[in-house]
C-alpha cells in the first residue's frame, strides 16, 4: 500500500530531533540505503534520499520492505526520527480496517503461541464500547478478554501489546514482577506503552476555544 498522499512536511524546528525508535539506519550518502529495524517484528526499511525533495517525507510498502523518502539535506538524527514517525503512520493507516471479534480472537491465539508458548488460552476476545478509562480488561475465571473500541485505528503493535497484556493476566492475575517478565518477551512493549501514555496525555490537554466570528 502506498502512502504518498500522506507525505509530511519537515518543520524547521524539528531539525535536531532524535529518533523515536527506528534503530539500525546509518546512511552515509544520498541515494538508496538499506537497513533493518532492531525490532524483529518490523520489515526491512529502505531510506531513499533525494536532492529534489525539499520539505516533505513520505513512505510506502514495497514488497517485504518499507521505503521512506526524505530530503538529501536531512541529518542522521532527523532521518531516524522521521523513519519512526512514518512507520507509525503506515501502521495506523493499515490498521483502520477494524478486526471483528473472531479475527481478534485468532490474533490473540497467535500472540499467545508466539510469546507465551500457547499457555494463555482465552475463551473469548471481543471489542466493547463501555471502557473509556482503560484499554482492556480480563476476567481470568471466565477466560474472557475485552478491548476498548478506542484502540481501533491505532497501530497494530499497540493493539497487540494490549492483547498480550490481557493474555498475561490469564497466567498472572496481578502486576507483579512475574507479570512484567512475561511482557518483556514482546519487543515493542515500551514503545506501545509510550504511545498509549501519549494518547492519554493529549486527551488531558485543555481544548482550544474556537475563534469568534467578527
Amino acid at each position: 500500500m502506498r502512502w504518498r498522499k500522506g507525505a509530511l512536511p519537515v518543520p524547521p524546528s524539528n531539525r535536531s530531533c532524535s529518533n523515536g525508535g527506528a534503530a539500525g539506519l546509518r546512511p552515509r550518502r544520498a541515494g538508496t540505503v538499506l537497513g533493518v529495524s532492531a525490532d524483529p517484528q518490523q520489515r526491512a526499511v529502505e531510506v531513499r534520499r533525494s536532492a529534489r525533495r525539499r520539505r516533505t517525507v513520505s513512505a510506502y510498502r514495497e514488497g517485504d520492505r518499507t521505503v521512506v523518502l526524505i530530503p538529501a539535506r536531512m541529518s542522521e538524527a532527523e532521518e531516524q526520527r522521521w523513519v519512526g514517525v512514518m512507520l507509525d503512520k503506515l501502521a495506523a493507516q493499515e490498521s483502520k480496517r477494524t478486526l471483528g471479534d473472531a479475527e481478534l480472537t485468532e490474533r490473540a491465539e497467535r500472540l499467545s503461541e508466539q510469546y507465551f508458548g500457547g499457555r494463555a488460552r482465552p475463551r473469548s476476545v471481543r471489542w466493547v464500547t463501555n471502557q473509556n478509562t482503560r484499554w482492556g480488561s480480563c476476567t481470568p475465571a471466565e477466560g474472557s478478554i475485552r478491548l476498548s473500541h478506542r484502540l481501533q485505528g491505532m497501530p497494530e503493535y499497540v493493539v497487540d501489546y494490549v492483547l498480550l497484556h490481557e493474555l498475561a493476566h490469564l497466567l498472572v492475575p496481578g502486576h507483579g514482577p512475574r507479570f512484567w517478565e512475561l511482557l518483556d518477551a514482546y519487543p515493542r512493549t515500551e514503545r506501545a506503552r509510550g504511545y498509549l501514555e501519549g494518547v492519554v496525555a493529549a486527551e488531558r490537554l485543555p481544548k482550544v476555544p474556537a475563534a469568534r466570528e467578527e
Side-chain angles (χ1 to χ4, degrees):
M1 180 184 70
R2 294 183 180 268
W3 204 70
R4 296 183 186 277
K5 292 183 179 180
L8 296 179
V10 181
S13 61
N14 284 337
R15 290 181 180 175
S16 62
C17 291
S18 61
N19 172 42
L25 297 171
R26 293 291 185 273
R28 299 303 179 190
R29 56 182 172 79
T32 299
V33 179
L34 289 176
V36 179
S37 168
D39 183 353
Q41 297 301 306
Q42 283 190 7
R43 314 178 190 195
V45 176
E46 178 179 338
V47 177
R48 296 177 184 173
R49 290 172 173 260
S50 171
R52 296 180 179 179
R53 185 174 289 265
R54 299 293 183 182
R55 295 181 55 80
T56 61
V57 177
S58 61
Y60 60 91
R61 305 295 193 196
E62 188 175 83
D64 60 353
R65 61 184 172 179
T66 301
V67 177
V68 181
L69 309 175
I70 64 174
R73 66 172 176 78
M74 190 172 283
S75 69
E76 288 187 30
E78 288 177 296
E79 176 193 311
Q80 292 186 11
R81 176 182 180 276
W82 279 100
V83 166
V85 168
M86 300 311 287
L87 289 176
D88 279 349
K89 290 286 185 181
L90 279 173
Q93 188 83 2
E94 293 169 347
S95 65
K96 283 187 176 180
R97 184 183 70 86
T98 302
L99 297 174
D101 290 350
E103 293 172 300
L104 203 59
T105 300
E106 292 177 3
R107 192 181 194 91
E109 291 172 349
R110 288 197 300 270
L111 289 169
S112 175
E113 187 66 33
Q114 183 175 359
Y115 295 103
F116 301 152
R119 291 179 295 128
R121 300 179 180 178
R123 294 190 183 93
S124 67
V125 184
R126 59 191 176 92
W127 297 106
V128 294
T129 58
N130 61 351
Q131 290 188 164
N132 294 316
T133 59
R134 53 185 175 178
W135 301 113
S137 61
C138 173
T139 305
E142 299 176 357
S144 62
I145 291 175
R146 298 163 297 280
L147 263 59
S148 172
H149 71 288
R150 295 186 300 148
L151 290 166
Q152 294 172 353
M154 290 189 186
E156 289 184 359
Y157 74 88
V158 177
V159 178
D160 286 351
Y161 165 72
V162 177
L163 274 174
L164 281 166
H165 186 108
E166 303 309 331
L167 285 167
H169 278 310
L170 294 177
L171 304 174
V172 180
H175 289 99
R178 175 57 183 152
F179 176 86
W180 295 112
E181 286 175 11
L182 288 173
L183 285 184
D184 282 343
Y186 183 55
R188 308 195 77 177
T189 289
E190 290 305 317
R191 189 171 184 182
R193 292 181 67 187
Y195 185 101
L196 293 172
E197 288 170 359
V199 171
V200 172
E203 289 175 347
R204 292 174 178 170
L205 291 174
K207 303 298 182 182
V208 179
R212 186 175 60 184
E213 296 183 1
E214 296 296 335

